[in-house]
Amino acid sequence: MTFAQLQDIIRGGENISVEFKKCPAELNHSVFETVCSFLNRTGGHLILGVADNGDITGVNGRGTRFGKEKHKEICAVLF
């Protein structure tokens, strides 16, 4: 996905296949619910660091644990 494509998706707002999540410091439970929902349909785009209204809030990289342990946690939920 290019930056321009990402911008277009954000401008288009949330819909059945696009979901925004703020997630400023960690993945919350609603992220996993959204992933499961997408898996039960035709897929979609889950964009972190974006508010429901499309404002880009960013994701705080400091202190965020998106390393191996978080990867294992996400995979355990998905698979």
Side-chain angles (χ1 to χ4, degrees):
M1 175 182 300
T2 67
F3 182 69
Q5 290 170 320
L6 179 60
Q7 286 179 312
D8 287 342
I9 290 171
I10 293 172
R11 278 191 214 111
E14 291 184 307
N15 58 52
I16 192 111
S17 64
V18 175
E19 183 73 22
F20 302 147
K21 300 287 181 191
K22 285 184 182 179
C23 296
E26 62 183 41
L27 298 177
N28 56 36
H29 185 71
S30 68
V31 169
F32 297 106
E33 290 176 347
T34 300
V35 169
C36 289
S37 175
F38 284 161
L39 289 171
N40 286 320
R41 287 194 291 243
T42 59
H45 298 284
L46 173 60
I47 307 193
L48 304 179
V50 178
D52 288 341
N53 65 1
D55 288 344
I56 297 173
T57 59
V59 176
N60 181 3
R62 288 191 174 171
T64 305
R65 296 182 183 170
F66 288 136
K68 286 183 181 180
E69 291 306 313
K70 185 56 76 174
H71 182 263
K72 287 179 187 177
E73 179 184 337
I74 293 168
C75 287
V77 170
L78 295 178
F79 304 105

